[in-house]
Amino acid sequence: MTVLENYDAIAKCNKCGFCHVACPIFRSTGHESGVARGRLAMLRGIIEKRIEWNEELEDPLFTCLGCEACTTNCFGAVPTAELVLAARGEYYDKVGKKPAHRLLFEHLLPYPKRLHLAARAAAYGKNSGASKLANALGLLRIFGRDLPKAEGIVDKLPTSSFRGTLKPGTYPGKGEKLKIGYFVGCGIDVIQIEAGKATFAALQERGKSVTVINNCCCGLPPYSYGDIENAKKLAKKNLETFEGLDVDVIVTDCASCAAFLKKYPKVFKDDPYYERAKRCLPKVRDVVEFLYADQPVGATGQAPVGTYHDPHGAAATAQKVSSDKKVIVTYHDPCHAVRGQKIRNEPREILKKIPGVEYKEMAEADWCCGGAGSYALTHYELSQKVLDRKMDNVKKTNADLLVTSCPGCMIQLAFGIKRHGLKTRVVHISEMINYMETKK
Amino acid sequence: MIGENFIRRMEEIVGKEYVRHSHADRELYSYDASLVNGIPGLIVFPGTTEELAEVQRAAHAAKIPSVARGFATNLSGGVITRDGGLVVALARFNKILSINPESRYAVVQTGVTNLEVQEAVAPLGMFFPPDPASQKVATIGGTVGENSGGPRCLKYGVTSNHILGMKMVMANGEIVDIAGPSFDPPGYDLRGLVVGSEGCLGMVTEVTVKITPKTESVITMLAIYDEVPHAANSVSAIVRAGILPLTLEMMDNTIIKAVEKGGPCGYPQDAAAVLIIEVEGMVTGLKEQADKIVEICMATKCREVRVAKNQAERDLLWKGRRGAFGAICNLSPNYLVNDGCVLRTLLPEALERVVAISKKYGCPVGNVFHAGDGNLHPLLMFDSRNPKELEQVHKAGVEIMELCAELGGTISGEHGVGHEKQDAMHFIFSGNDLNTQQAVKLALDPGNVLNPNKIIPLPAAGKDKLPLTEPTILKRLGGAKAAGVAEAIASIKEARSAKKPLRVVGGGTFNGIGNRLAASVVPLATDKMTEFIEYDSDNQFITAGAGVTLAALQEKLASHNQWLPVRPPYFTTESTTGSIVALAAAGPERQAYGAPRDMLLGLQYIDSSGNMVTTGGKVMKNVAGYDMTRLLTGSLGSLGCITEATWKVSTKPECCHMVGATGSLSNCNAAALKIIISNLLPVSVVIVPQGADWKLLVGFEGLEMVVPSQIERCSAMMVLAGLKPAGETSYPLLTGGHGDLFTGIWQQPTVLQADVVIARVVELYEGLAKIAQPDNLLLDVACGRVHAGFTKLSAAQWKEIDTLASRCQGHACLVKAPDTFRNEVDLYGSPRREWKLSHLIKQALDPERMFAPGILPGRV
Ligand SMILES: Cc1cc2nc3c(=O)[nH]c(=O)nc-3n(C[C@H](O)[C@H](O)[C@H](O)COP(=O)(O)OP(=O)(O)OC[C@H]3O[C@@H](n4cnc5c(N)ncnc54)[C@H](O)[C@@H]3O)c2cc1C
Ligand code: SF4
Ligand code: SF4
């Protein structure tokens, strides 16, 4: 959709300003370009011809994390993230795309092998301290000015990928009948390999078989840069792969991938692939949903209303599980889980049931960590400000473990923990499940 | 207007990254939550008061208009510059500087949001009463700028009632500290003037806010109606019954539907209207109050009253109410909201006529508003993309303001005038009223650079003043026609032509107050201004001539079981209500009931040219124009002759009881401080000498059902602090429990009143005793105030006392002193920078020094 086609949705913003409270970017910069009201005003300005398509739009269009916190706080539920994202595409057309985006979206992400190769090369550079190779390849420097500082984010890249060790294919499980497909997101594949292993183990516990899918990137990165064409290309490849699988469910342990896979029908609106996307949809599960449903008791949790800074809201509560040795655990909601898929209570319920865990809710648990996919790479300074706020909240819980369910968040959070010198460890919820299962 | 050089200068001051001027940036700062637009020339983001001062100095020198901006959620165009001027965004002023629960104040920077303040003080059992529905996003700067209200203001009053002081950058870049954590500093009530001044008098960077202990319990009810007038009738009936709920909010069917569409909040969609009614207080007796409300609602044809069963249900109801404006976008892309105020008994008529106006202009309307205060919020819906609709909605908005003025109310109860309501100021103010207000603005901003051309309608081209017209719609009683006023006008004119200054006199008790006059003066009597101009017990206000004595006023009010909750020290039965205004006098119940500044709704006075000036009105909330009422309150008769005052009155408490205990001063103080920050809700907390020991006296007033339990808990706290119980007495409502003590103090030739922060009252006393042992003494701990009488005090001792009070974050003044002494010293102590502002205002409003020359602090 072009900006003009979204005029009605954009004009729905009546400038009340309520989105200011929750926008992590606005709270960091204090600049109107960073908040939904401002971003929408820009779009409206374009339509009403007060604003021209040029580089001045870069901040309003590209500093958005896409976290959708604004929408949650907006009574009209104006989908700012969506609207901004749609405008990014038009920005590329009218103002131009950076070669970096092209390299990543058109030449690396569609090809898992190339991505592995690139990552390995980069990892080699990092681990040996000779970052020349990585730089030559451009993987770590493709995004512009903030990137050199961002190198530290991915602390140590593994030298092998998840699917380098566990090749795509079907593996037997301990369960009785369920045939599970495991969609391996890029983040899990090349960086959070331990989390991938944990998920795989958890799936093996539950499924008759587990198929490690030979999928490519889900398409979210180009999509969130407004590059719908490349996003569709990736999505099509995946849909074709899915159709060739003999599985009952497709589980992924990346909240962003899960949210985007669920969005495929929307991506293919008015496209021949729409029907195929819709047919796949019912199979897709976030690993958190999957594990939660698998629990002995479990009604699906309803998201409580008004958790954002509600003036009369109840204070954070600490839940104690009786056990001699308690590990303090807190949970960070990935945007793509809490708002993207309305998953809020499930992970908490899972964690609270783990023996020996003292669950402590942190303030603003559902605020974006600032990772937002490659955001931390493209907007380093900003993303760090957002992260600092998150870390302050983590600190206050004194948690031993900071659990989440998105590899992107894990990278960002781990970086924050390191920078702030905390003792907290970041783990994927699958790793917690494994921990529980080893305890049994 | 803004050139390269100026931009470079700004970059030097605040750093390049904090200066923005791209086309896109300027578009982003061209709007607020109102319908007013204007493209600024430049946006700067200073980080410190000093930076801001430098920015402002440069802007002032270059004659560039500038406007302070919080989060731009105001609804009147307050942060819009139409002259391509400078927007000063204060988002970086986002720190809470200190929280002092024991002295009940906090200091915050102005970019902090209202909710952040609430969240910071809540763990201490305190809160900051102003709660605009936009509290999540309204900054303290903006709240101060607009004098914002909110649901809770029915019980606690608006922002101005809770602001103690501020740090402000003036138009010329000077930094001044205005007032502070101690009550009632000498000079004009500048903080009262600045609150609600919409950024036109200065840019505030730090605010000292008063924080209040949370009550023990709250009950939230949802009353559901099949017809809107029934809901409005319930509102009047509840207030008439003498119950003061925490909130009385109304939402009509249109709003209910809009809200529920955004997410279910528990409102029945088939209701014509609902009221959200909250009562709070001690657990004891609260249920009974709620029951009584239910009974009244049912008697006024309510369908059903639901009580929120838990915090979650309560949160939901409030979430819906707070989001109501935003929810309109579920029905229509844009809205124009009016916020006129009417007498609450006129709500049914007002609402009916609003509907007619909405039909006439074809803009659908929804109502969600502070019904208890009579503060309407009709939301007129339209699509701003359609020029015709835009035009119609503006017309409808104007007509609603006309309606409010016609019904005796005001054009704005809380959102401010800005650009949007500028012309409507003529509906309720005369040309002279408006010129006077503008004179105050120009006194503090002679170059007219701060948020210029707002609030006051602009004079015709080539003119610098508005013609002396009457208000075009509002009809006021009293004024020049009231008893005794014509004579006073004649006297003033006469004195003026004879160039003889005047001194307004009331009952005579306080003829000696203030600094020694600089010239011999002619007394100007107010003793003929004894008319009761209007008394409306249902709407809880009374307008009385300045010559009406407090005693007569109370007698009048007693006929309807009401009273004016003030017991000014040293008052006699002769003392007039006019002198309460002039002196801003209040006794130990000030912390609980407020000072005259908190009870005055409006005034009329004669200015130095012999013309009438009116300030405020008679409705409970009013932010139309600068807060002249507060400026005049406590002005010691130096700005004009106050002829009448409109007071907000209260229902009489059923009983007044005082509980006492004796012990050491430090034990008394420890107990006092605990009681003050507890949720016991005492009316006064006082310590007095008792032989070699000390006595702590705590007063409670209210319902027979509640007071005994308060006393019981208070006694327990006293005992716990090691005090010996000294019994309990009841005392007369009108004179209070400390009349004799004050009489004793007043018998001394020299009487001191010193205000410091609550926790330092005893420190002040101990210092005082070293300088000069008072012969009579009363420590008003709750107000942070020391009253002392001396048989003898030297100028040198006075100087030391003045220094001591400053050291305790306060100030001292002598309310009575022998003539010889007054010849020598300034009774308000050593000069403070903020006095200069008072002097500028005095100069602007009374250029010929007709009224009490020399009386002010600084002997001006
Ligand atoms: C949905 C919605 C609901 C609302 N509900 C209420 C309500 O219930 N009650 C109510 O009273 N208002 C309400 N408002 C209006 C508005 O939110 C308040 O006026 C709020 O206090 C403004 O705060 P702000 O930070 O947005 O100020 P801004 O809009 O940025 O500024 C408001 C004014 O204050 C001045 N100002 C700001 N900061 C300073 C400073 N530091 N020094 C000097 N001047 C300054 C500005 O120049 C301007 O004139 C509502 C608005 C919206 C959109
Ligand atoms: S909360 Fe929604 S309607 Fe209000 S300013 Fe933000 S985007 Fe616009
Ligand atoms: S999606 Fe997140 S970052 Fe973007 S405007 Fe909304 S709240 Fe801000």
Side-chain angles (χ1 to χ4, degrees):
Chain A
M1 295 257 282
T2 63
V3 171
L4 182 63
E5 284 166 329
N6 285 326
Y7 197 12
D8 281 344
I10 292 165
K12 211 175 164 195
C13 167
N14 56 30
K15 301 201 163 68
C16 72
F18 273 41
C19 43
H20 287 56
V21 65
C23 176
I25 298 305
F26 179 77
R27 299 306 278 176
S28 301
T29 64
H31 193 289
E32 190 81 16
S33 68
V35 72
R37 179 171 75 171
R39 303 186 204 279
L40 295 166
M42 282 292 99
L43 299 181
R44 190 161 175 171
I46 292 168
I47 297 170
E48 293 170 3
K49 305 229 158 35
R50 290 188 301 277
I51 293 292
E52 283 168 23
W53 284 105
N54 61 28
E55 276 85 10
E56 287 184 1
L57 288 169
E58 193 170 317
D59 267 5
L61 293 187
F62 289 91
T63 61
C64 178
L65 295 159
C67 72
E68 294 178 13
C70 46
T71 309
T72 311
N73 271 273
C74 171
F75 256 82
V78 178
T80 304
E82 284 282 320
L83 296 167
V84 162
L85 199 144
R88 285 177 181 173
E90 213 171 330
Y91 180 90
Y92 290 137
D93 292 346
K94 301 214 158 102
V95 187
K97 198 190 301 187
K98 288 188 182 151
H101 294 132
R102 286 226 183 83
L103 173 66
L104 186 70
F105 299 152
E106 290 166 23
H107 300 293
L108 288 179
L109 294 182
Y111 310 102
K113 284 237 175 72
R114 278 195 217 166
L115 189 64
H116 292 175
L117 211 66
R120 252 210 309 275
Y124 174 72
K126 285 278 315 166
N127 290 353
S128 68
S131 53
K132 266 200 198 126
L133 186 59
N135 285 341
L137 191 89
L139 182 70
L140 292 179
R141 216 178 261 286
I142 49 181
F143 284 104
R145 56 173 199 262
D146 285 336
L147 205 76
K149 290 184 210 148
E151 282 183 39
I153 294 178
V154 182
D155 185 25
K156 259 192 162 196
L157 284 166
T159 44
S160 167
S161 69
F162 174 77
R163 282 181 293 192
T165 28
L166 209 66
K167 297 269 181 278
T170 302
Y171 299 82
K174 298 183 191 154
E176 275 156 30
K177 50 179 207 281
L178 203 62
K179 286 177 274 180
I180 304 173
Y182 174 29
F183 180 98
V184 188
C186 309
I188 293 285
D189 205 21
V190 300
I191 297 164
Q192 300 295 346
I193 292 171
E194 288 310 310
K197 286 181 185 161
T199 304
F200 182 73
L203 296 181
Q204 265 191 323
E205 281 291 322
R206 288 160 178 80
K208 180 166 165 252
S209 68
V210 180
T211 303
V212 175
I213 305 175
N214 190 19
N215 58 276
C216 64
C217 166
C218 65
L220 180 61
Y223 185 80
S224 57
Y225 273 80
D227 187 349
I228 310 296
E229 275 326 296
N230 277 309
K232 277 189 178 171
K233 233 185 251 169
L234 295 166
K236 278 181 189 165
K237 260 187 103 171
N238 280 331
L239 281 175
E240 282 156 15
T241 309
F242 294 167
E243 281 162 0
L245 295 175
D246 172 27
V247 294
D248 305 313
V249 287
I250 297 171
V251 178
T252 180
D253 47 2
C254 169
S256 302
C257 295
F260 195 65
L261 291 176
K262 289 178 183 178
K263 219 186 211 163
Y264 274 6
K266 207 170 154 193
V267 173
F268 286 113
K269 209 174 85 181
D270 311 320
D271 189 293
Y273 269 75
Y274 175 73
E275 282 307 322
R276 296 168 73 174
K278 244 179 78 178
R279 239 174 291 132
C280 271
L281 182 67
K283 286 191 184 166
V284 179
R285 298 271 190 294
D286 188 294
V287 73
V288 177
E289 287 174 296
F290 179 77
L291 295 172
Y292 181 74
D294 184 65
Q295 287 203 323
V297 259
T300 343
Q302 254 283 270
V305 208
T307 42
Y308 266 108
H309 258 322
D310 206 313
H312 297 286
T317 46
Q319 305 267 338
K320 279 201 179 169
V321 181
S322 57
S323 162
D324 8 59
K325 183 178 136 255
K326 274 182 232 94
V327 193
I328 304 177
V329 172
T330 192
Y331 184 76
H332 160 75
D333 288 290
C335 301
H336 286 121
V338 64
R339 286 173 292 275
Q341 307 176 71
K342 307 264 176 286
I343 296 174
R344 183 185 289 272
N345 289 344
E346 294 88 334
R348 291 168 173 76
E349 293 304 316
I350 293 175
L351 293 173
K352 283 175 195 169
K353 286 198 185 114
I354 297 178
V357 160
E358 177 181 336
Y359 182 76
K360 254 197 196 168
E361 181 75 18
M362 72 166 137
E364 303 176 347
D366 56 359
W367 280 56
C368 180
C369 61
S374 52
Y375 192 93
L377 303 181
T378 52
H379 295 85
Y380 179 75
E381 298 288 349
L382 260 180
S383 95
Q384 291 311 308
K385 281 191 191 162
V386 175
L387 181 59
D388 288 345
R389 186 169 179 131
K390 178 67 56 180
M391 286 303 125
D392 280 345
N393 287 323
V394 171
K395 242 177 260 174
K396 286 182 201 142
T397 63
N398 249 328
D400 300 305
L401 296 178
L402 169 56
V403 182
T404 188
S405 64
C406 172
C409 298
M410 289 176 73
I411 297 169
Q412 174 83 343
L413 293 171
F415 184 60
I417 296 283
K418 191 173 119 195
R419 251 182 19 134
H420 285 253
L422 306 187
K423 63 173 174 56
T424 314
R425 221 159 56 87
V426 180
V427 298
H428 193 281
I429 196 161
S430 297
E431 297 177 74
M432 291 301 289
I433 296 283
N434 265 7
Y435 165 84
M436 175 172 69
E437 265 148 22
T438 51
K439 279 235 145 182
K440 265 184 198 163
Chain B
M1 183 188 283
I2 290 176
E4 279 301 309
N5 281 346
F6 188 74
I7 296 176
R8 291 296 93 75
R9 179 76 194 107
M10 290 296 114
E11 288 173 351
E12 272 166 38
I13 298 170
V14 299
K16 207 169 157 91
E17 64 172 308
Y18 295 116
V19 178
R20 299 294 194 103
H21 48 82
S22 78
H23 194 63
D25 288 321
R26 289 160 60 213
E27 174 81 11
L28 285 165
Y29 286 82
S30 67
Y31 55 79
D32 52 27
S34 74
L35 303 179
V36 184
N37 291 303
I39 306 271
L42 186 69
I43 306 107
V44 294
F45 299 77
T48 62
T49 305
E50 289 67 31
E51 276 183 17
L52 171 59
E54 241 184 285
V55 164
Q56 193 48 42
R57 257 198 301 283
H60 187 254
K63 297 194 169 45
I64 290 169
S66 56
V67 53
R69 186 183 193 271
F71 284 172
T73 67
N74 78 84
L75 294 160
S76 50
V79 297
I80 305 305
T81 161
R82 282 179 164 172
D83 329 86
L86 175 68
V87 168
V88 180
L90 296 172
R92 292 171 69 203
F93 287 83
N94 58 3
K95 280 166 217 69
I96 293 180
L97 301 175
S98 75
I99 303 176
N100 309 274
E102 68 296 338
S103 290
R104 291 181 51 168
Y105 76 93
V107 185
V108 304
Q109 290 188 318
T110 41
V112 172
T113 64
N114 179 298
L115 188 62
E116 283 165 342
V117 176
Q118 309 292 1
E119 286 178 340
V121 302
L124 307 165
M126 315 286 269
F127 74 115
F128 174 55
D131 62 338
S134 51
Q135 69 176 162
K136 280 181 182 180
V137 283
T139 65
I140 290 298
T143 311
V144 165
E146 302 291 2
N147 192 9
S148 299
R152 287 203 289 250
C153 295
L154 175 63
K155 176 167 174 191
Y156 288 99
V158 290
T159 301
S160 194
N161 305 91
H162 305 278
I163 301 297
L164 294 167
M166 62 229 359
K167 189 185 273 305
M168 183 167 94
V169 173
M170 305 285 300
N172 62 5
E174 232 177 275
I175 301 171
V176 279
D177 286 301
I178 293 176
S182 317
F183 279 159
D184 306 329
Y188 297 146
D189 186 352
L190 297 168
R191 82 203 128 132
L193 178 66
V194 170
V195 176
S197 66
E198 305 188 17
C200 298
L201 301 181
M203 298 194 188
V204 182
T205 58
E206 291 172 16
V207 181
T208 305
V209 300
K210 185 170 143 184
I211 52 177
T212 302
K214 278 194 228 165
T215 58
E216 199 180 15
S217 186
V218 58
I219 297 178
T220 308
M221 292 167 277
L222 183 73
I224 302 161
Y225 294 85
D226 295 320
E227 282 179 46
V228 175
H230 296 163
N233 290 338
S234 291
V235 171
S236 297
I238 291 167
V239 181
R240 194 180 305 127
I243 303 174
L244 183 58
L246 176 61
T247 70
L248 257 178
E249 299 284 303
M250 196 193 291
M251 288 164 71
D252 71 9
N253 182 265
T254 310
I255 299 293
I256 293 172
K257 286 210 176 109
V259 168
E260 291 286 317
K261 209 167 157 188
C265 290
Y267 302 116
Q269 300 220 28
D270 62 339
V274 294
L275 292 177
I276 310 175
I277 311 173
E278 250 175 21
V279 281
E280 58 152 30
M282 309 295 295
V283 170
T284 314
L286 197 61
K287 171 87 174 47
E288 285 78 359
Q289 275 190 61
D291 289 346
K292 190 153 174 219
I293 288 178
V294 174
E295 198 179 292
I296 296 171
C297 290
M298 296 317 286
T300 39
K301 303 196 179 152
C302 174
R303 182 206 295 175
E304 179 196 351
V305 181
R306 293 183 193 160
V307 178
K309 286 191 279 302
N310 48 41
Q311 187 65 28
E313 284 190 19
R314 177 172 186 239
D315 290 349
L316 259 185
L317 289 177
W318 281 114
K319 181 180 148 86
R321 165 60 187 92
R322 292 210 168 83
F325 285 12
I328 282 293
C329 65
N330 291 320
L331 304 179
S332 142
N334 303 91
Y335 62 81
L336 173 79
V337 59
N338 275 96
D339 69 320
C341 224
V342 298
L343 297 175
R344 77 175 77 74
T345 50
L346 298 179
L347 279 176
E349 178 181 351
L351 291 171
E352 198 177 305
R353 287 175 62 183
V354 163
V355 171
I357 293 169
S358 121
K359 289 213 176 99
K360 176 170 163 194
Y361 291 99
C363 2
V365 68
N367 286 290
V368 44
F369 64 105
H370 312 305
D373 289 318
N375 191 186
L376 298 174
H377 284 355
L379 297 157
L380 297 162
M381 292 172 240
F382 71 106
D383 187 336
S384 64
R385 290 174 292 181
N386 181 333
K388 182 78 195 145
E389 283 186 29
L390 191 61
E391 193 191 319
Q392 290 295 96
V393 81
H394 273 300
K395 285 188 185 156
V398 169
E399 209 158 300
I400 291 175
M401 287 191 277
E402 287 174 352
L403 163 67
C404 294
E406 192 193 317
L407 294 180
T410 187
I411 57 167
S412 182
E414 57 178 26
H415 296 164
V417 176
H419 269 311
E420 212 165 75
K421 307 184 188 79
Q422 212 168 349
D423 291 332
M425 289 286 278
H426 281 302
F427 298 169
I428 56 171
F429 287 117
S430 74
N432 193 44
D433 300 342
L434 296 169
N435 286 336
T436 307
Q437 294 190 24
Q438 184 66 5
V440 172
K441 146 89 177 165
L442 294 178
L444 302 187
D445 176 15
N448 198 19
V449 294
L450 277 180
N451 212 3
N453 308 331
K454 298 244 175 105
I455 305 182
I456 309 297
L458 303 181
K463 295 271 183 330
D464 63 349
K465 286 218 157 89
L466 297 163
L468 299 186
T469 49
E470 286 302 299
T472 53
I473 297 179
L474 180 68
K475 299 275 174 283
R476 295 186 201 254
L477 301 169
K481 303 179 295 286
V485 177
E487 295 93 310
I489 291 178
S491 309
I492 291 171
K493 288 193 170 155
E494 192 181 317
R496 191 183 155 100
S497 50
K499 295 202 181 332
K500 281 292 276 180
L502 296 156
R503 163 143 215 191
V504 186
V505 295
T509 331
F510 300 104
N511 284 353
I513 209 142
N515 277 322
R516 191 181 64 88
L517 299 187
S520 71
V521 290
V522 182
L524 176 61
T526 53
D527 59 351
K528 299 220 170 54
M529 301 176 191
T530 52
E531 204 177 329
F532 286 105
I533 295 161
E534 195 177 6
Y535 175 30
D536 182 340
S537 60
D538 279 357
N539 286 301
Q540 295 186 310
F541 75 88
I542 188 163
T543 306
V548 171
T549 62
L550 177 59
L553 188 89
Q554 300 287 28
E555 198 184 312
K556 178 90 180 169
L557 295 172
S559 63
H560 286 83
N561 195 36
Q562 293 180 328
W563 75 308
L564 183 67
V566 58
R567 300 182 192 112
Y570 320 127
F571 261 49
T572 67
T573 46
E574 305 293 294
S575 308
T576 61
T577 47
S579 59
I580 305 182
V581 181
L583 305 178
E589 38 308 297
R590 188 200 183 303
Q591 183 70 265
Y593 291 142
R597 73 192 297 278
D598 304 307
M599 298 162 203
L600 280 162
L601 301 174
L603 295 173
Q604 300 223 25
Y605 73 93
I606 314 168
D607 67 15
S608 63
S609 56
N611 290 316
M612 294 303 301
V613 181
T614 56
T615 76
K618 58 189 181 185
V619 283
M620 294 298 138
K621 284 161 86 182
N622 198 344
V623 297
Y626 297 103
D627 194 340
M628 298 293 288
T629 310
R630 285 203 167 85
L631 179 64
L632 265 289
T633 305
S635 63
L636 301 167
S638 67
L639 294 175
C641 171
I642 292 159
T643 60
E644 66 181 66
T646 301
W647 302 90
K648 177 175 165 180
V649 299
S650 308
T651 302
K652 274 186 179 181
E654 287 174 4
C655 63
C656 307
H657 283 283
M658 189 140 66
V659 54
T662 55
S664 69
L665 180 56
S666 66
N667 283 355
C668 283
N669 190 41
L673 294 179
K674 281 224 175 73
I675 292 166
I676 290 166
I677 61 164
S678 75
N679 56 15
L680 276 181
L681 317 175
V683 161
S684 61
V685 181
V686 159
I687 301 175
V688 292
Q690 172 93 342
D693 242 344
W694 294 81
K695 187 171 190 181
L696 170 63
L697 292 163
V698 183
F700 292 95
E701 301 173 9
L703 299 174
E704 301 271 13
M705 194 187 341
V706 185
V707 169
S709 72
Q710 288 168 299
I711 299 232
E712 193 179 315
R713 278 177 50 194
C714 182
S715 309
M717 286 173 83
M718 289 167 149
V719 171
L720 208 66
L723 300 182
K724 203 164 116 242
E728 179 201 328
T729 49
S730 64
Y731 58 86
L733 176 71
L734 296 183
T735 48
H738 307 293
D740 294 347
L741 288 163
F742 282 117
T743 311
I745 296 173
W746 197 247
Q747 272 156 11
Q748 298 296 349
T750 305
V751 175
L752 169 82
Q753 178 181 317
D755 290 277
V756 294
V757 298
I758 295 170
R760 300 178 78 171
V761 170
V762 166
E763 179 185 339
L764 181 93
Y765 162 71
E766 285 168 350
L768 190 62
K770 284 189 200 123
I771 300 165
Q773 182 63 46
D775 299 286
N776 296 69
L777 180 71
L778 184 151
L779 304 179
D780 175 356
V781 191
C783 298
R785 185 167 281 176
V786 174
H787 298 274
F790 300 89
T791 33
K792 246 177 70 205
L793 192 75
S794 71
Q797 285 170 320
W798 163 234
K799 202 165 171 352
E800 277 185 67
I801 295 174
D802 176 51
T803 313
L804 169 68
S806 304
R807 211 172 58 226
C808 298
Q809 295 164 269
H811 42 83
C813 81
L814 295 173
V815 287
K816 190 177 173 197
D819 280 345
T820 46
F821 189 90
R822 297 173 77 222
N823 288 340
E824 269 175 67
V825 303
D826 189 322
L827 301 187
Y828 297 98
S830 44
R832 290 165 181 253
R833 187 180 273 193
E834 62 179 300
W835 290 358
K836 195 176 125 193
L837 275 53
S838 291
H839 300 161
L840 290 169
I841 293 169
K842 164 79 176 169
Q843 169 67 27
L845 299 193
D846 181 18
E848 289 160 43
R849 304 181 75 208
M850 288 295 299
F851 293 104
I855 198 170
L856 289 180
R859 310 187 79 167
V860 167

